[in-house]
Amino acid sequence: MHKPAPQQHTVTARRPPKERLTRDEAGRLFSPTLRAAARNLRTLATDDAQLARYGLPVWHDETALAAALDLEPKALRHFSMHSATDRATHYVTFAIAKRSGGERLIMAPKARLKRLQRRLDALLVSKLPASEFAHGFRRKRSVRSNAEPHVGRGVILQLDLKDFFGSIHFGRVRGLLIALGYGYPVASVLAALMTEAPRQPVLVGGTRYFPPAGPRACPQGAPTSPGLSNAVVVKMDRRLAGLARRYGFAYTRYADDLTFSGDDIAGAHALRLLAQRVVEDEGFELNHDKTRIRRSGTRQTVTGVVVNDVLGLSRQERRRLRAAIHRYAAAHAAGNADAAQLGRLDGKVAYLAMLNAAQARRLARTG
């Protein structure tokens, strides 16, 4: 007897339940700090192997980062939230006079944030990569090491980056940290901890707010900004160094000061134009008022150090220092010497000895 075929049942795959976020989690995910135009970025995970290659600490989430910084997660969010309705700021802004004239705005973090940034600098920023051509903000590097490659060269080309720290904005810092292996949430929080926007106080309904008046960037005054700046410009440094080698020039960078030296004046002019393209391609801008080309017949200085024949201070600066030593000696003999002045003179002589021990010894003998 023929048996009827068994009845076919259509099996519908059950959809996984939708992930539900708490109100706090949702608020954090869609906050200005973690918001992203590309949604897939928000789920970018930490690359442990990549972090290991760079010798960087592994933090998978905000909880781990907070623990490393000795903070409660709530306190970490307090310092890393970008808001347009802040009623207080984490920074004190003030102006200092520049040698070349005008003023430089300093954004100094308040005490609690400064302690946090110093710890972050020790745990992370001090381990970030830096190019061999960077001499500012690095151990065992100084204005001396920055000037040494340019001693006795026929021509020196000097360029200056405009608004150096202000050009290293939140997105660049976050992008660097993602490239080094951090997941999107951790990279975003770290970038927020190390950047800030200029703030403009406004009064609304009797309440004072401090909305941002520009993009978040590395503040000049934060302990983390120097190391971050060196890490962000690694590629630019190597491109400029390669360009310099093509023309037989040496290249170094001290913060925002770029120096090239060689023996071909035509090469210096070609380098100036090509270096500008590289700088702009890397997201920076030159301050053309500070562009200098100095030949060997004039005084050549690199970050304040004379490099015409040997490292040292100019004859005029040494004469002024010698005169100051004589005045102090006369005041000391008369019994009215200023101890603070002695400290300043010792510091200047020590600086000269670091640059050129022979010049310092001659100064001491004549002083």
Side-chain angles (χ1 to χ4, degrees):
M1 182 177 179
H2 179 69
K3 294 182 180 180
Q7 186 177 358
Q8 298 293 322
H9 296 281
T10 302
V11 179
T12 304
R14 181 177 296 176
R15 293 182 181 178
K18 290 184 178 179
E19 182 180 357
R20 292 185 179 276
L21 301 175
T22 66
R23 176 176 295 184
D24 183 60
E25 289 172 335
R28 183 60 168 165
L29 180 62
F30 297 104
S31 69
T33 309
L34 297 186
R35 190 177 299 151
R39 291 190 176 184
N40 59 330
L41 278 180
R42 294 203 296 254
T43 59
L44 193 61
T46 300
D47 186 337
D48 292 26
Q50 177 81 328
L51 292 173
R53 280 193 289 271
Y54 287 102
L56 300 176
V58 177
W59 297 316
H60 289 107
D61 51 35
E62 288 182 79
T63 302
L65 176 57
L69 297 174
D70 293 330
L71 291 173
E72 292 294 327
K74 186 176 181 180
L76 177 66
R77 293 183 180 185
H78 168 70
F79 287 114
S80 63
M81 285 293 286
H82 178 78
S83 172
T85 56
D86 281 336
R87 298 187 184 186
T89 65
H90 295 306
Y91 291 81
V92 176
T93 302
F94 57 92
I96 60 173
K98 296 164 65 174
R99 283 186 181 181
S100 56
E103 294 181 332
R104 187 189 310 278
L105 283 180
I106 302 297
M107 293 177 65
K110 294 179 180 177
R112 290 180 63 200
L113 179 58
K114 190 173 186 177
R115 285 195 298 270
L116 190 160
Q117 288 177 338
R118 281 178 172 167
R119 182 162 177 79
L120 198 54
D121 186 60
L123 291 174
L124 171 67
V125 177
S126 63
K127 300 174 184 178
L128 294 177
S131 80
E132 60 270 38
F133 309 101
H135 293 264
F137 320 126
R138 298 188 66 191
R139 291 181 179 180
K140 299 183 180 179
R141 300 288 181 97
S142 64
V143 292
R144 178 192 170 94
S145 66
N146 184 62
E148 278 179 320
H150 309 293
V151 175
R153 306 302 293 268
V155 59
I156 289 178
L157 166 65
Q158 295 172 307
L159 305 176
D160 181 85
L161 298 177
K162 187 176 182 180
D163 192 21
F164 181 47
F165 287 122
S167 301
I168 303 173
H169 54 73
F170 175 86
R172 297 183 77 163
V173 176
R174 182 172 62 187
L176 169 71
L177 296 170
I178 288 174
L180 292 173
Y182 287 106
Y184 179 83
V186 171
S188 298
V189 172
L190 287 169
L193 288 172
M194 297 186 287
T195 61
E196 175 59 318
R199 302 279 176 168
Q200 180 65 48
V202 296
L203 199 63
V204 179
T207 303
R208 187 180 297 275
Y209 296 96
F210 293 86
R216 294 185 74 96
C218 287
Q220 187 160 352
T224 48
S225 293
L228 270 179
S229 68
N230 278 337
V232 166
V233 299
V234 165
K235 181 183 174 185
M236 185 186 76
D237 276 343
R238 291 176 180 165
R239 290 182 67 185
L240 290 174
L243 188 63
R245 279 195 299 271
R246 191 191 309 169
Y247 287 87
F249 275 61
Y251 165 74
T252 63
R253 180 181 58 80
Y254 194 97
D256 55 359
D257 293 322
L258 316 179
T259 304
F260 303 81
S261 66
D263 297 307
D264 180 12
I265 186 66
H269 286 290
L271 263 176
R272 178 178 61 84
L273 297 175
L274 294 172
Q276 179 177 343
R277 294 181 191 174
V278 172
V279 166
E280 292 174 353
D281 188 46
E282 293 293 329
F284 292 94
E285 183 182 353
L286 290 180
N287 184 347
H288 295 289
D289 291 339
K290 293 187 177 181
T291 297
R292 301 284 186 273
I293 295 180
R294 303 178 190 273
R295 304 188 73 166
S296 56
T298 62
R299 183 195 297 173
Q300 296 172 319
T301 60
V302 176
T303 49
V305 181
V306 175
V307 295
N308 287 74
D309 299 307
V310 295
L311 289 175
L313 295 179
S314 69
R315 209 170 271 144
Q316 291 87 342
E317 288 176 293
R318 281 179 278 146
R319 284 174 181 166
R320 285 196 291 268
L321 183 53
R322 185 181 295 113
I325 292 172
H326 278 299
R327 287 195 297 271
Y328 176 81
H332 181 73
N336 57 0
D338 180 3
Q341 175 66 3
L342 177 61
R344 287 191 289 270
L345 290 174
D346 283 343
K348 291 179 179 180
V349 173
Y351 175 70
L352 176 58
M354 181 267 291
L355 297 177
N356 189 314
Q359 287 183 355
R361 285 194 296 270
R362 286 196 295 271
L363 186 69
R365 285 198 298 269
T366 58

